[in-house]
Amino acid sequence: MPKYRLSGLAPAVIGPGGADREQESKMSGPLDHLVVIEAAQSMPAAIAAMLLADHGADVTKVEPRGGAYFAHDLTRKSWDRGKRSVELDIADAADRAALCGLLKGADIFIHAMEEKVAATLGLDAPSLKRDFPALVVVALTAYGQDTPFADRPYGESLAAALLGTMIDKGSPFRPGPVYLGHPALHYGQAFLGVIGALAAVRARRETGTGQRVEASLLDAMIAQSPMNNWWQEDGISYIKKGDSGAVDRFGKTRLITGMFECGDGRFLQFHTGGPGGFRAAMEVLGFGDRIQVVKGPEMATPLNDEEYQIARVGIFDAFKAKPRDEWIRLFHAADVAALPVLEPAEVLLDDQVDYVGQRIALPDPDFGTIHQAAPALIYAGVERVSPTPAPAIGAHNADLATLAARPARMATAARRAIRKPLEGVRVVDFSSFFAVGYGGRLLSDLGADVIKVETPDGDQMRPLPDCFDAAQRGKRDIVLNLKTPEALEAAYRLVAEADVVTHNLRPGKADKLGIGYEKLASINPKLIYAYMPGYGSKGPKALLKSFAPLVSGWTGLLREGGGEGNPPTRSVFGNEDYNNGFLAAAGILMALDRRELTGKGDYMECPQLHSSLWTTSEHFLDADHKVVYGFRLDKDQAGINALDRIYRTRDGWLCIACRQDERFAALAAAIGRPELAADPRFADPQARSRNDAALQELLTPFFAARTSAEAFALLDAAGAACEIARETSWVQEALLEDWAFASNRVVEDKDSMYGHVRTFGSFIHFDETPGFAQGTAPRLGHHTREILGEIGYSPAEIDALIAGGKAMVARSVTGRIDSRVSAA
């Protein structure tokens, strides 16, 4: 694994084996050959472009004159770092021509326009294809062109209200829907946009042309839902339906994870995953003599009645016996995963963050110095980018002519025809549990051949059917006992023909097994070796267990969701398992595209800590290391702004998203107060933010006097963006919708190992090389014979490996398997 040479806040990566790779021989980020134009008045577009800029892409942000409605928010300090800023009004013909001048020399164009709007400006997919045939166009839309919600207005809070995301995690403080304190849909859409963009760039190397890629807020929502949501004919699930943050959500599944208040009033989270984790945790908490001994995977054996009472009730009082730090020390000594619940950005002061250089300092005009999370991905062969501070609006207007004079990106002759963007890519996955597997599942959906390598005992997550399927759907599976030289040799043959290897073994274990970076790179010098540990390959916390949602709570998500002045909430929508899977998939695509230029493989490290820091990057520390929230959920858990929040109505809740000038004017007209649009207190987004309390005082009685339907009708007719907040789950309904199946967002398997199931499928949509999700998770050893034959073993040799216990095949590839796991 790489070692780190510490120097201030930015460590230099030294190649595996201690061979120092000189900084001057490295490129600055794996994407330093790509030019990106971001022209969207949406936060996910800014986040997506930030991820690309953080890893070397040349990003120019095209802003309306004076900036978008959120341009003066504190989030700009993070989400726009490392970019240029130019001001253009794309509704103006001359400015639109200047934008086209920028697009001529660009690889990727990120926008947030629906196609109907884009067509009025000549920026729709056919027009862009005609004028810029090599351009990859990324449309970050509200709901997608092929859904029933295609004409509804854009807004994260609006989507969360309409799609029932606000009810997914109940509040411990009040009933009803809860505004998302953590912007999970924003980050999810940004991740999908980046994965789609980079997959399309790879496809362009084969086809010679760009294409349109679409990822919507709806896609971001369902992309963060499959772990806890599927349809199975008998209702089997490891988690109860309803509030997925409820304290008894796992029912009789032998698993505990959640937040607990300790004797000193501080909070921690712990997780009983991993071999023997449940029993070890019960021993620490004083219940060991009342817990049955389980042979084999613990989660495969349901709790008995006494164990259920302990795990779901008695445990809360037990935690009151000791202070938080003592509990964490005891859990770590017993090899049980546990972490404190902190404020956002507070973790930037942790010793592990210091060790791996994940805190950077930037000069800032308001705070003097701010401390932020560093770019998330580490590559051994590529120098890490040192981001520059976010630019002032229009700071690079004078550079427009120079930027437009860049050489045009030209379409090239096709090398071969492909049906899916990642066709021809092979990934060999040695991981277990969710995050790494989910990243591989995303690549599989885009056409990669992902082969899961398991031990004879199988992935420890196999007993959790819906969770396992969510991470492993669409892959092939081989069982190899890597502790035997014969099986290890088979793994080496597999790696020799692979493009990527992934794993999340604890530091040092891969080397002991014989699948460490140095060994595999010697077999295949072009290999991308992607390591996704919990905390990093080195450092004071490197050997600790890591499970979701512990790192999320550690990096501040539960405080984000709790609301100002409240204790942390017990759960939020989105966590590090999804985020690490998203980031790993993006990082692998970055490395593969870099390999196209260099012809060389690389080592990539993507810890859960890094992805969790990056997905809370809107928050930072000031010069005195005090936490600064980029935005903050209010105490009522109703919103972040008077114009972006949910309001109580006579019979429910209505969500509005009206911070933009035109939306605010429409809202003012809808409530019968058109003069508010001309009121100096509310003249622009900044003025409205300064007078937020006055606006909330004006709006609250209007909604309280009307039903949700009445208020919706008035606002919607006036063009004021709003949605009635659902108070029932939508995501379960979506699994049965014909349009979801037709658009490949849902896939069906009537003969899976779990019986008849429907699961979530594709989240990213390409107009020329569409990915196509299919199939469910493979059975243990389902493809062992097939894969061994592909890498050169004869039938007799395969039989010998199986007979000798070096490899294993599935007992049957049809019919249902026995599963005793259910939360009910």
Side-chain angles (χ1 to χ4, degrees), residues 130-328:
R130 177 195 65 219
D131 297 336
F132 314 105
L135 186 65
V136 170
V137 179
V138 180
L140 301 180
T141 61
Y143 301 100
Q145 301 179 90
D146 52 358
T147 75
F149 315 110
D151 293 328
R152 297 306 301 159
Y154 186 97
E156 182 192 48
S157 56
L158 299 177
L162 180 64
L163 303 179
T165 318
M166 290 184 175
I167 206 70
D168 181 75
K169 310 286 186 182
S171 169
F173 312 123
R174 64 162 176 80
V178 175
Y179 188 100
L180 301 189
H182 172 64
L185 299 188
H186 280 161
Y187 278 105
Q189 187 178 31
F191 276 130
L192 295 179
V194 169
I195 294 167
L198 295 173
V201 167
R202 178 167 183 80
R204 184 178 67 176
R205 294 189 180 278
E206 304 292 347
T207 67
T209 60
Q211 61 183 305
R212 183 181 187 269
V213 180
E214 183 176 33
S216 69
L217 288 169
L218 181 149
D219 292 308
M221 188 269 191
I222 62 173
Q224 296 175 83
S225 298
M227 183 190 296
N228 297 339
N229 293 280
W230 73 345
W231 177 87
Q232 192 274 342
E233 58 183 327
D234 299 321
I236 291 173
S237 176
Y238 83 104
I239 191 168
K240 291 182 178 181
K241 301 308 176 190
D243 179 1
S244 60
V247 295
D248 67 340
R249 63 194 182 278
F250 297 119
K252 291 196 171 182
T253 302
R254 190 171 293 270
L255 172 67
I256 305 173
T257 178
M259 184 182 73
F260 299 88
E261 185 175 3
C262 302
D264 56 0
R266 298 196 294 173
F267 296 85
L268 63 74
Q269 287 185 294
F270 88 118
H271 194 295
T272 62
F278 186 88
R279 166 154 286 282
M282 293 298 99
E283 293 280 1
V284 170
L285 288 162
F287 298 113
D289 59 338
R290 298 165 61 186
I291 301 298
Q292 62 183 306
V293 176
V294 174
K295 295 181 180 180
E298 288 185 313
M299 289 186 287
T301 301
L303 299 171
N304 62 34
D305 290 344
E306 182 181 16
E307 291 171 329
Y308 176 90
Q309 184 68 20
I310 292 168
R312 309 299 177 228
V313 181
I315 193 172
F316 288 91
D317 286 337
F319 271 102
K320 297 293 181 66
K322 292 181 175 67
R324 182 179 72 184
D325 291 349
E326 185 174 350
W327 280 124
I328 291 175

Side-chain angles (χ1 to χ4, degrees), residues 20-39:
D20 196 352
R21 298 170 185 249
E22 295 299 328
Q23 295 291 334
E24 58 268 20
S25 68
K26 294 184 181 182
M27 310 301 286
S28 182
L31 302 180
D32 67 347
H33 56 290
L34 294 181
V35 174
V36 178
I37 304 299
E38 171 207 339

Side-chain angles (χ1 to χ4, degrees), residues 291-531:
I291 301 298
Q292 62 183 306
V293 176
V294 174
K295 295 181 180 180
E298 288 185 313
M299 289 186 287
T301 301
L303 299 171
N304 62 34
D305 290 344
E306 182 181 16
E307 291 171 329
Y308 176 90
Q309 184 68 20
I310 292 168
R312 309 299 177 228
V313 181
I315 193 172
F316 288 91
D317 286 337
F319 271 102
K320 297 293 181 66
K322 292 181 175 67
R324 182 179 72 184
D325 291 349
E326 185 174 350
W327 280 124
I328 291 175
R329 180 181 61 78
L330 291 169
F331 281 131
H332 287 174
D335 198 26
V336 174
L339 287 171
V341 173
L342 303 179
E343 297 278 352
E346 188 179 354
V347 73
L348 289 171
L349 300 175
D350 187 82
D351 53 358
Q352 180 69 26
V353 175
D354 269 338
Y355 188 91
V356 297
Q358 278 303 115
R359 187 178 76 241
I360 59 173
L362 294 177
D364 184 81
D366 301 311
F367 295 91
T369 299
I370 59 174
H371 301 273
Q372 299 178 333
L377 295 163
I378 296 173
Y379 298 87
V382 184
E383 183 179 359
R384 294 180 79 179
V385 172
S386 296
T388 55
I393 298 166
H396 302 91
N397 286 346
D399 298 335
L400 262 171
T402 301
L403 295 172
R406 285 188 286 209
R409 296 296 202 250
M410 306 299 291
T412 59
R415 296 198 300 204
R416 64 187 178 109
I418 57 173
R419 295 172 299 168
K420 300 179 181 181
L422 300 186
E423 196 171 301
V425 174
R426 174 171 283 186
V427 180
V428 177
D429 179 16
F430 292 98
S431 75
S432 60
F433 293 103
F434 192 87
V436 182
Y438 189 63
R441 168 255 172 98
L442 296 170
L443 300 177
S444 172
D445 286 348
L446 300 181
D449 176 19
V450 182
I451 296 173
K452 181 172 177 61
V453 181
E454 295 191 71
T455 67
D457 291 332
D459 190 319
Q460 295 170 59
M461 202 170 64
R462 272 191 177 271
L464 309 183
D466 32 355
C467 193
F468 182 77
D469 188 81
Q472 309 302 340
R473 187 188 51 66
K475 302 177 184 178
R476 298 197 291 163
D477 191 274
I478 183 173
V479 173
L480 295 172
N481 183 357
L482 296 182
K483 294 180 180 179
T484 66
E486 296 89 346
L488 191 59
E489 173 58 30
Y492 291 157
R493 289 199 201 181
L494 192 57
V495 168
E497 298 181 8
D499 296 285
V500 182
V501 159
T502 60
H503 78 84
N504 60 350
L505 296 165
R506 289 212 220 179
K509 189 170 181 180
D511 291 304
K512 289 180 182 177
L513 283 173
I515 57 171
Y517 172 70
E518 288 184 348
K519 176 62 180 178
L520 298 193
S522 71
I523 295 169
N524 182 353
K526 297 184 71 174
L527 184 71
I528 305 301
Y529 188 97
Y531 181 38

Side-chain angles (χ1 to χ4, degrees), residues 61 63 76 80-85 388-396:
K61 184 181 184 74
E63 310 190 65
R76 183 182 183 89
D80 286 331
R81 70 186 189 190
K83 305 176 186 177
R84 297 186 188 87
S85 169
T388 55
I393 298 166
H396 302 91

Side-chain angles (χ1 to χ4, degrees), residues 645-666:
R645 68 185 296 104
I646 53 174
Y647 283 92
R648 286 184 185 269
T649 64
R650 276 182 15 217
D651 61 351
W653 299 79
L654 190 83
C655 180
I656 66 170
C658 296
R659 291 186 65 193
Q660 301 93 320
D661 288 341
E662 65 279 8
R663 288 189 180 185
F664 177 68

Side-chain angles (χ1 to χ4, degrees), residues 592-735:
L592 286 171
D593 203 55
R594 166 60 61 186
R595 189 181 70 175
E596 289 288 328
L597 302 181
T598 66
K600 299 177 181 178
D602 205 353
Y603 169 97
M604 182 194 90
E605 192 166 307
C606 176
Q608 284 189 320
L609 168 59
H610 295 200
S611 59
S612 297
L613 284 170
W614 194 84
T615 49
T616 52
S617 59
E618 68 272 22
H619 313 298
F620 54 88
L621 301 175
D622 66 13
D624 297 321
H625 290 174
K626 303 297 184 185
V627 173
V628 179
Y629 279 76
F631 51 75
R632 193 167 193 182
L633 183 63
D634 67 5
K635 188 173 181 62
D636 292 334
Q637 296 181 305
I640 58 171
N641 184 286
L643 298 175
D644 196 337
R645 68 185 296 104
I646 53 174
Y647 283 92
R648 286 184 185 269
T649 64
R650 276 182 15 217
D651 61 351
W653 299 79
L654 190 83
C655 180
I656 66 170
C658 296
R659 291 186 65 193
Q660 301 93 320
D661 288 341
E662 65 279 8
R663 288 189 180 185
F664 177 68
L667 175 66
I671 67 171
R673 298 289 303 276
E675 74 279 3
L676 293 177
D679 189 321
R681 295 176 300 165
F682 312 129
D684 57 42
Q686 286 178 280
R688 292 192 286 273
S689 291
R690 288 193 298 269
N691 293 283
D692 190 75
L695 270 175
Q696 192 171 333
E697 187 175 345
L698 283 167
L699 293 169
T700 298
F702 172 85
F703 293 108
R706 291 163 175 82
T707 66
S708 296
E710 291 168 347
F712 175 84
L714 288 168
L715 269 64
D716 197 51
C722 65
E723 298 292 354
I724 296 172
R726 281 183 65 118
E727 299 196 47
T728 57
S729 172
W730 171 83
V731 69
Q732 285 289 316
E733 295 177 14
L735 286 163

